[in-house]
Amino acid sequence: MCGIVGYIGHRDAYPIIINGLKRLEYRGYDSAGIALYDGTQIELAKTKGKVVDLEQRANGSISKKGTLGIGHTRWATHGVPNDANSHPHYSNSGELVIIHNGIIENYSSIKKELINRGYTFHSDTDTEVLVNLIEEIKKKESVKLGKAVQIALNQVVGAYAIAVFDKNKPNEIVVAKLGSPLAIGVGEDEFFIASDASPFIEFTNNAIYLEDEEMAIIRRGKDIKIRKIKNDKVVKPFVQELQLNIEQIEKGGYDHFMLKEIYEQPSVIKDTYRGRLLVDQGIIKLGGLEEYIPKFINADRIIIIACGTSWHAGLVAEYTFEDWARIPVEVEYASEFRYRNPVITEKDVVIAISQSGETADTLAAIKLAKKKGAFVYGICNVVGSTISRETHSGTYTHAGPEIGVASTKAFTTQITVLTMIALKLAHVKGTISKSDYMMHLHELDMIPTHVAAALKSNDKIKEIAKVFKDATNFLYLGRGYNFPVALEGALKLKEISYIHAEGYPAAEMKHGPIALIDEQMPVVVIAINSNHYGKVVSNIEEIKARKGKIIAVVTEGDTVVRELADYVMEVPKTPETLTPLVTTIPLQLLSYHIAVMLDRNVDQPRNLAKSVTVE
Ligand code: G6P
């Protein structure tokens, strides 16, 4: 979703903001803009399209001068993607300039009032309403920018991360946050503003993350003043040292971030369990979990809430938690859960899974569960994210920044964390035998090697992609632990190639999708050695009988499915419970190669956002 960047200091703001916007491209967007102020003149350039289009627009139209500036990538909510709706937006007087990530829900009633008072609007956005509301308050109440922002934000309903400056205040930017992320980089006599720390990481390792309902007045060469928007209470800035480095957010020789992230999986899965999975001692040690183990073990049930790929990781956990720890599990889409008046009690444990830690629906579902008295445990990738702060406790996945919009390494590291939690609970509860527990610790420790081996099939998978790249539909089938993998495989293909794909439990095929099968239909079947192997083989026969094309994911050394399938993609042998960590790899590669062959924008697929901060 929208990205915001700002700078105030002693350097030229233009290159910092443009590079910063490029770093935030992964969030997904359809237009971009920038405003610069050199103390005399405000210059603004904006356009539908990408940051490179903005650079072209800026080349002819502005001088790019100014050591204060704000920039924006917009993911359309109110109003189509076009130049006028792009940010930044001026107020009517031309004195205030704003960028905004989020939604002002009551904008239309405010807009009507402002129109009655003579204001005119040049876009369809809620953001232009907000900047004019600030202007109106500033004039009517004769207050300074900071105060006017505060009064205005107390009148609006919705979510926001904003940055706004005033022509009369060349040394000041005001920012505020509710529901959308906002980080402030603190340098030597300079400040950076951004949706996350990636735009300023080469300038400073020190950052302040604003909390919800906080605003900050940032003055050139001075301190930052933070206040609570509601009650004006002063907040002492908490400066965190960032662990991020520049290599982590660059492509490192790969054509796309997605490919880099697929290939990082052996090492990041290891990072996820490093220091936590102590095989020699037979111990799993998860800092955030230890003191809450009784809560989990005595819970009536575990409810897992998440969206998108994270929801698929939750589905895998349903199998491990029930199988090993014998605790009933429900896996819910956060967006449905939050609006369903769900029955939740203090005896429920909720696990919220989120790569970004910022997904609006997941966050709202967490707040609801907390209100109803449940204990909420978070599994996030982004350190310091809103969800990681909103939950009672949790575990980070430590996958490093995931920039490709289609999630890959976040998925496998989420499963790694969930597997460790399930094993730990089962061990403490005594619902898993000592030998099974120890076998799984050893096998989990082998997963990075197995994933690396699965990646070796890349060239072969590329050949398969060539054969099927022009198909218009795909079906993905899996059973048991690999049913969620089928869903995830289909989602990956849809997201980046725009080919329609459906994931289904293999046995359910007879209840509908079988009607679609003909010689045009590729069917990806996860047919690894498992309890369901025989049954999946029967499903493959059924597809063959209807002339469907079979691409099968099989265990190394398989002979039966190899005979039946048109193409096979091999993965190393591992216990069935851990297979999702390896079977997902060829499916990621297959989607990737098809998308590249179709010339799609792999890292920033159309209409999608990495971090969905609006509901
Ligand atoms: C978006 C992303 C997906 C992600 C989902 C949930 O749709 O494009 O890749 O799975 O949001 O995001 P989260 O950050 O909460 O895991």
Side-chain angles (χ1 to χ4, degrees):
M1 302 257 139
C2 307
I4 66 174
V5 182
Y7 176 77
I8 181 164
H10 43 80
R11 305 173 206 248
D12 276 341
Y14 180 82
I16 296 172
I17 292 171
I18 291 291
N19 287 334
L21 291 177
K22 285 183 181 165
R23 298 256 171 84
L24 295 180
E25 284 189 307
Y26 74 90
R27 296 170 67 82
Y29 71 109
D30 42 55
S31 38
I34 187 166
L36 300 167
Y37 188 29
D38 64 1
T40 318
Q41 193 198 350
I42 298 175
E43 289 191 320
L44 194 146
K46 54 187 189 173
T47 178
K48 179 183 170 187
K50 297 290 177 187
V51 180
V52 286
D53 302 311
L54 172 64
E55 284 179 283
Q56 267 176 17
R57 172 73 48 101
N59 277 345
S61 63
I62 58 171
S63 70
K64 304 178 190 170
K65 274 202 229 129
T67 50
L68 180 159
I70 54 179
H72 190 264
T73 48
R74 173 174 188 254
W75 189 86
T77 56
H78 293 65
V80 295
N82 63 20
D83 293 2
N85 287 334
S86 311
H87 300 208
H89 289 286
Y90 277 120
S91 64
N92 270 196
S93 69
E95 289 183 352
L96 306 189
V97 188
I98 197 170
I99 48 173
H100 167 216
N101 168 21
I103 292 179
I104 304 301
E105 289 170 14
N106 58 341
Y107 81 102
S108 85
S109 57
I110 300 173
K111 187 170 182 176
K112 272 188 207 132
E113 262 181 55
L114 289 170
I115 290 173
N116 287 341
R117 286 185 214 160
Y119 281 81
T120 51
F121 291 88
H122 310 282
S123 77
D124 306 317
T125 64
D126 48 345
T127 307
E128 197 189 5
V129 175
L130 178 59
V131 73
N132 282 306
L133 176 65
I134 297 169
E135 175 150 297
E136 172 65 11
I137 292 167
K138 198 172 159 262
K139 276 200 239 147
K140 213 169 105 200
E141 315 257 332
S142 300
V143 288
K144 291 187 184 150
L145 176 66
K147 196 70 202 166
V149 167
Q150 187 178 16
I151 298 171
L153 293 179
N154 276 309
Q155 294 179 14
V156 303
V157 177
Y160 50 78
I162 59 163
V164 51
F165 69 84
D166 180 349
K167 194 168 187 203
N168 304 304
K169 294 247 165 199
N171 295 314
E172 181 177 296
I173 299 180
V174 176
V175 297
K177 164 188 158 56
L178 174 63
S180 300
L182 200 144
I184 302 169
V186 183
E188 286 272 320
D189 290 336
E190 58 182 348
F191 297 104
F192 305 81
I193 299 153
S195 299
D196 64 40
S198 59
F200 55 76
I201 197 63
E202 67 265 52
F203 300 106
T204 178
N205 272 324
N206 296 321
I208 298 169
Y209 288 91
L210 280 198
E211 296 285 345
D212 274 350
E213 300 187 332
E214 284 180 1
M215 59 179 289
I217 298 177
I218 305 172
R219 293 204 179 100
R220 198 192 311 264
K222 300 221 172 99
D223 286 344
I224 294 178
K225 298 263 179 294
I226 304 180
R227 291 179 178 281
K228 290 278 177 202
I229 294 167
K230 276 212 176 111
N231 59 15
D232 207 34
K233 218 173 119 202
V234 174
V235 177
K236 195 165 174 270
F238 171 62
V239 182
Q240 286 189 33
E241 198 180 328
L242 301 168
Q243 301 302 326
L244 200 65
N245 63 49
I246 192 82
E247 292 77 41
Q248 286 178 305
I249 54 170
E250 290 186 336
K251 282 190 207 143
Y254 288 91
D255 287 344
H256 298 96
F257 280 110
M258 183 182 177
L259 191 61
K260 175 184 174 227
E261 288 156 8
I262 290 173
Y263 272 86
E264 274 174 358
Q265 288 175 108
S267 68
V268 294
I269 291 173
K270 206 169 218 153
D271 290 343
T272 303
Y273 68 67
R274 179 170 293 120
R276 295 166 162 176
L277 177 75
L278 309 173
V279 183
D280 295 345
Q281 298 166 52
I283 291 175
I284 289 174
K285 205 167 76 183
L286 293 164
L289 184 69
E290 303 298 320
E291 74 176 283
Y292 299 106
I293 287 176
K295 265 199 186 299
F296 276 86
I297 287 178
N298 299 316
D300 281 348
R301 59 191 176 148
I302 292 174
I303 304 167
I304 299 181
I305 48 176
C307 301
T309 290
S310 299
W311 185 76
H312 294 155
L315 286 181
V316 174
E318 182 172 17
Y319 289 80
T320 41
F321 276 79
E322 294 202 341
D323 194 0
W324 291 331
R326 309 303 298 150
I327 307 170
V329 176
E330 283 168 29
V331 188
E332 301 263 8
Y333 283 118
S335 53
E336 289 297 315
F337 177 84
R338 63 178 288 201
Y339 284 120
R340 210 190 53 228
N341 191 16
V343 179
I344 314 167
T345 72
E346 289 96 31
K347 293 273 284 169
D348 290 323
V349 165
V350 170
I351 300 181
I353 312 172
S354 175
Q355 187 286 127
S356 62
E358 302 294 345
T359 302
D361 281 320
T362 309
L363 193 54
I366 291 168
K367 289 184 177 158
L368 175 71
K370 277 169 69 183
K371 212 161 107 195
K372 298 206 175 211
F375 169 75
V376 186
Y377 198 83
I379 297 176
C380 294
N381 188 36
V382 177
V383 176
S385 55
T386 311
I387 291 177
S388 71
R389 295 196 309 256
E390 270 294 327
T391 40
H392 293 114
S393 186
T395 304
Y396 284 119
T397 48
H398 295 318
E402 190 180 66
I403 312 269
V405 164
S407 188
T408 52
K409 62 176 180 170
F411 180 63
T412 43
T413 53
Q414 286 164 347
I415 296 175
T416 304
V417 166
L418 289 158
T419 303
M420 285 193 285
I421 296 175
L423 276 173
K424 171 98 195 182
L425 296 178
H427 182 55
V428 176
K429 206 173 159 191
T431 46
I432 190 170
S433 69
K434 176 89 186 161
S435 59
D436 209 10
Y437 171 75
M438 281 311 295
M439 182 272 280
H440 275 98
L441 297 199
H442 280 285
E443 289 289 347
L444 192 53
D445 195 25
M446 289 301 293
I447 290 294
T449 314
H450 293 335
V451 171
L455 287 168
K456 295 218 167 89
S457 303
N458 184 46
D459 289 346
K460 190 169 173 206
I461 295 169
K462 205 167 168 179
E463 291 304 309
I464 301 174
K466 226 181 255 170
V467 178
F468 293 103
K469 70 176 180 22
D470 296 317
T472 47
N473 292 292
F474 267 75
L475 185 61
Y476 284 71
L477 301 177
R479 275 187 94 127
Y481 282 91
N482 283 290
F483 159 52
V485 177
L487 295 180
E488 175 60 10
L491 177 64
K492 279 303 79 106
L493 189 70
K494 272 186 277 214
E495 284 178 314
I496 59 170
S497 72
Y498 318 146
I499 295 173
H500 172 250
E502 271 191 69
Y504 241 78
E508 276 290 305
M509 178 184 68
K510 287 197 225 32
H511 301 287
I514 198 162
L516 299 171
I517 292 173
D518 60 18
E519 58 274 21
Q520 309 300 327
M521 176 69 118
V523 186
V524 179
V525 189
I526 305 158
I528 37 101
N529 282 349
S530 71
N531 283 335
H532 310 288
Y533 184 71
K535 300 214 178 338
V536 175
V537 170
S538 303
N539 295 139
I540 292 177
E541 298 275 15
E542 288 156 10
I543 300 161
K544 287 232 63 136
R546 286 153 187 88
K547 300 197 166 57
K549 296 280 177 296
I550 310 276
I551 308 161
V553 178
V554 297
T555 312
E556 262 166 22
D558 179 280
T559 50
V560 178
V561 174
R562 183 179 293 274
E563 278 291 299
L564 291 170
D566 296 277
Y567 299 90
V568 293
M569 307 188 283
E570 283 193 335
V571 293
K573 188 167 167 38
T574 188
E576 187 179 353
T577 45
L578 304 182
T579 49
L581 289 165
V582 290
T583 51
T584 199
I585 307 297
L587 305 191
Q588 293 170 346
L589 288 170
L590 183 66
S591 316
Y592 171 78
H593 289 302
I594 291 178
V596 171
M597 285 168 196
L598 294 176
D599 207 19
R600 305 293 192 227
N601 189 341
V602 172
D603 285 332
Q604 297 154 40
R606 69 181 180 204
N607 303 338
L608 295 180
K610 182 76 187 153
S611 172
V612 180
T613 50
V614 296
E615 60 170 286

